[in-house]
Amino acid sequence: MKSTDNLLDDLPQPENPQQGVPQQGNDLSPFKNFKHDFPASIIVFLVAMPLCLGIALASGAPLYSGLISGIVGGIVVGALSGSPLGVSGPAAGLAVIVLSAITELGSFNIFLVAVVLAGILQLIMGYAKAGVIAYYFPSSVIHGMLAGIGILIFLKQIPHAVGYDPVNEADWGFSQADGQNTFSELINMLNYMSFSIIVISVISLALLILWETPFFKKNQVTKLIQGPLVVVVLGVLLNVAFASNPEWAISSDHLVNIPVASNANEFLSNFAFPDFSALTNPRIYVIAIILAVVGSLETLLCTEASDKQDTLKRVTPVNRELKAQGVGNIVCGLIGGIPITQVIVRSSVNQQSGGKTKASAVIHGVLILLSIIIIPNILNLIPLATLAAILMVVGFKLAKPSLFMKMYKQGLSQFIPFVATILGILFTNLLVGIGIGMAVAIFIILRNNYRVATRVEQGKGSNIRLVLSEDVTFLNKASIQGTLAQIPNGTHLEIDASNTYFIHHDVIEIIEDFKINAASRNITVTTIDLTPEKEKEVRALNHFELISE
């Protein structure tokens, strides 16, 4: 008899993760999709730039370290990854960990050693096939994660859209470093509203909404030129036009702020290198493990979410993704970048901007590199309000009312974890919110498992038949014990396990104990096919081989 592992090994495996997946007649060659991927990469690049800088600032790291990570996440991870829409870069979820680690270690160069080690650990995890963890997250939690992030993006960008920019663009938690929170900032912004910035935001939002109408979608020109790109160009032009009027002029605080290097030496001086003499410090290894575990978990969750957004429903090879992230973090650590993960905000922007293949992620990394070398002064003319408008539309698309209706129609067992995940993300942060959603989902699974372990059938006279389900685990102990306790005295009980393929030893022990106690209650107990756990496992394997043939 073959083991299940060998049986699965005999099945034909696709040469690549997209083989065998319906592609709806689309050629997914990066070269043939350049007309889609290039415009999408520009939008992702424009959104990623302030996020890279903001996350570096929130992490207590040099600003250039965020840009370096954005470049590596695009070019290196994008090239190695099998994710068709995922975009990697510095992650807000790691900012607190990075800040405390740099403070504890006392040096950014020492911290870079931990980043290199974290990358090596991720590489090992990829080869150990640890990516399978991603498949244990329920779809209700993943959809809740997308909707929660969508609502959070929308709320966080409203202050930027009216000219209130004291908050780091990368601060995605409910509680902020300045003591404020997501909702209090919506009140604070009322005292700092700028008319010229509101004009830019309203025009930008209007154009983005028009670009989504059927008329604009059918037009050949608007098909070729993406709405967000038009909005960015218009934002720069309006900023330049307003500069001539002191009352309308937009200050640099409300614009993208990329460090400008005056020469090649100054540019190269922004790269930092790890101090490997710190390898003797045991805290380095603890921090590396934390970075690897948290970063990998965030990547796997974002990978799952990105795949759900893909209209072609392609499936990312998760172990390959871990390897790509590992290589990316090794490179980041070696040249002065902060840790990277796959990031759902940039991935969502990529998908909604028309990206088709991973070429858009690679190109966005190239654009970050070229921009900080060639045109930093031009990029510094982009109003943050323009980027806020783009992100607000992205946020709305992630949390459409139709998604809430769809999840509600699937039943409360799907809807409750979905809502719990959203509320958890809104009032805590991404990872805690997902943890809350998972806890609720697991509770519902356990509750349902408790209820479906057995089926009671009333026979003739005092005969009762108790039918066990296909899988009876230790989680069903309480349910079965409760059912047996309710069997009336003086009855004949038949326990039928003929359709059960797995039964845990603890459950058999409960039944055997009941049979002993039943004599004192004048209950006669007979069993059908109640065999020990190992025999059930053998039968389950035979059943598996039968259906596989």
Side-chain angles (χ1 to χ4, degrees):
M1 182 184 298
K2 295 181 180 179
S3 70
T4 52
D5 289 338
N6 291 333
L7 186 64
L8 292 173
D9 289 340
D10 290 342
L11 297 176
Q13 299 294 320
E15 293 181 6
N16 62 69
Q18 295 176 11
Q19 184 178 326
V21 180
Q23 305 298 349
Q24 301 177 8
N26 289 294
D27 186 343
L28 295 176
S29 164
F31 297 104
K32 292 191 178 181
N33 280 277
F34 186 77
K35 64 180 180 180
H36 299 291
D37 290 330
F38 184 66
S41 70
I42 295 175
I43 307 306
V44 176
F45 149 69
L46 292 171
V47 169
M49 286 294 289
L51 290 178
C52 289
L53 295 168
I55 292 168
L57 183 64
S59 302
L63 288 181
Y64 251 86
S65 67
L67 297 174
I68 291 168
S69 295
I71 294 167
V72 174
I75 298 174
V76 178
V77 178
L80 297 176
S81 169
S83 179
L85 297 175
V87 182
S88 297
L94 293 177
V96 175
I97 298 173
V98 174
L99 176 62
S100 61
I102 293 174
T103 304
E104 180 184 345
L105 296 174
S107 166
F108 182 66
N109 299 81
I110 294 176
F111 169 73
L112 292 177
V113 178
V115 178
V116 173
L117 293 175
I120 294 172
L121 287 174
Q122 285 184 303
L123 203 56
I124 294 170
M125 290 165 69
Y127 280 105
K129 302 187 185 302
V132 71
I133 296 170
Y135 301 125
Y136 289 94
F137 288 88
S139 62
S140 58
V141 174
I142 300 299
H143 284 302
M145 168 187 163
L146 287 171
I149 290 174
I151 296 171
L152 196 59
I153 289 172
F154 191 91
L155 294 175
K156 290 285 189 181
Q157 295 306 310
I158 293 176
H160 295 296
V162 300
Y164 181 57
D165 299 304
V167 182
N168 191 319
E169 296 89 3
D171 194 343
W172 298 110
F174 177 73
S175 299
Q176 298 171 175
D178 59 358
Q180 300 294 328
N181 60 57
T182 304
F183 296 113
S184 68
E185 292 291 30
L186 297 177
I187 299 172
N188 293 338
M189 75 180 187
L190 299 176
N191 299 319
Y192 298 92
M193 298 173 74
S194 167
F195 185 72
S196 57
I197 290 177
I198 292 174
V199 168
I200 291 176
S201 298
V202 170
I203 293 174
S204 299
L205 282 170
L207 278 174
L208 291 168
I209 293 170
L210 280 174
W211 236 264
E212 294 297 318
T213 60
F215 173 78
F216 272 71
K217 284 186 174 182
K218 291 177 182 177
N219 190 286
Q220 292 300 318
V221 176
T222 53
K223 270 186 178 181
L224 184 63
I225 304 173
Q226 293 292 324
L229 183 57
V230 175
V231 164
V232 168
V233 173
L234 182 63
V236 172
L237 294 176
L238 288 172
N239 175 33
V240 173
F242 292 162
S244 59
N245 186 335
E247 294 183 2
W248 285 67
I250 300 173
S251 69
S252 60
D253 293 339
H254 305 300
L255 304 174
V256 171
N257 184 18
I258 299 172
V260 179
S262 58
N263 54 58
N265 288 333
E266 188 175 336
F267 171 73
L268 293 174
S269 68
N270 290 300
F271 290 83
F273 306 99
D275 180 4
F276 285 111
S277 64
L279 283 171
T280 55
N281 183 350
R283 287 299 301 168
I284 288 285
Y285 300 94
V286 175
I287 292 169
I289 292 171
I290 294 172
L291 290 173
V293 172
V294 176
S296 297
L297 180 59
E298 190 163 337
T299 289
L300 292 173
L301 289 168
C302 291
T303 298
E304 185 82 0
S306 298
D307 287 349
K308 288 191 180 298
Q309 290 182 281
D310 186 7
T311 55
L312 300 180
K313 301 304 176 187
R314 290 164 287 182
V315 178
T316 298
V318 287
N319 295 315
R320 177 177 170 182
E321 185 65 26
L322 284 179
K323 295 174 189 175
Q325 296 292 334
V327 173
N329 276 315
I330 291 171
V331 174
C332 281
L334 290 174
I335 63 174
I338 52 179
I340 56 177
T341 70
Q342 188 174 131
V343 189
I344 192 60
V345 177
R346 274 160 266 192
S347 302
S348 299
V349 170
N350 185 27
Q351 186 269 335
Q352 294 178 21
S353 299
K356 298 294 182 184
T357 73
K358 66 179 184 177
S360 57
V362 176
I363 296 170
H364 116 277
V366 174
L367 291 175
I368 295 177
L369 175 61
L370 293 177
S371 67
I372 61 178
I373 296 174
I374 303 172
I375 56 167
N377 290 311
I378 295 177
L379 293 174
N380 286 342
L381 295 174
I382 300 174
L384 292 176
T386 299
L387 301 179
I390 294 172
L391 287 171
M392 286 171 73
V393 172
V394 170
F396 177 79
K397 288 183 176 180
L398 287 175
K400 282 183 176 179
S402 58
L403 174 61
F404 285 78
M405 292 301 299
K406 174 186 172 184
M407 296 304 297
Y408 181 74
K409 289 177 180 178
Q410 290 180 3
L412 292 180
S413 62
Q414 290 288 97
F415 187 68
I416 293 175
F418 169 75
V419 173
T421 306
I422 293 173
L423 294 176
I425 289 173
L426 285 180
F427 291 101
T428 56
N429 57 53
L430 177 63
L431 291 177
V432 173
I434 291 169
I436 291 171
M438 281 295 295
V440 173
I442 290 171
F443 172 78
I444 291 174
I445 291 170
L446 293 178
R447 180 173 175 271
N448 292 341
N449 199 281
Y450 174 88
R451 296 168 63 184
V452 301
T454 60
R455 184 176 78 253
V456 179
E457 298 177 354
Q458 184 69 50
K460 293 181 180 180
S462 60
N463 292 332
I464 295 177
R465 186 163 176 260
L466 186 66
V467 182
L468 301 183
S469 59
E470 287 190 355
D471 294 298
V472 184
T473 71
F474 69 93
L475 298 175
N476 303 122
K477 288 168 59 177
S479 172
I480 292 173
Q481 202 149 24
T483 301
L484 292 174
Q486 294 176 19
I487 300 297
N489 294 344
T491 60
H492 173 73
L493 175 66
E494 181 181 83
I495 301 176
D496 185 357
S498 57
N499 292 321
T500 304
Y501 289 99
F502 175 85
I503 183 167
H504 197 272
H505 174 77
D506 290 0
V507 176
I508 293 178
E509 190 175 80
I510 288 172
I511 294 172
E512 294 298 334
D513 290 346
F514 175 78
K515 288 166 69 175
I516 296 172
N517 178 260
S520 64
R521 297 172 54 191
N522 196 28
I523 298 174
T524 306
V525 181
T526 59
T527 60
I528 300 176
D529 209 13
L530 188 67
T531 54
E533 179 181 358
K534 287 296 181 183
E535 293 182 32
K536 289 288 183 184
E537 287 179 348
V538 170
R539 187 187 322 147
L541 182 57
N542 291 336
H543 174 69
F544 177 78
E545 290 184 336
L546 181 63
I547 61 174
S548 299
E549 292 173 358

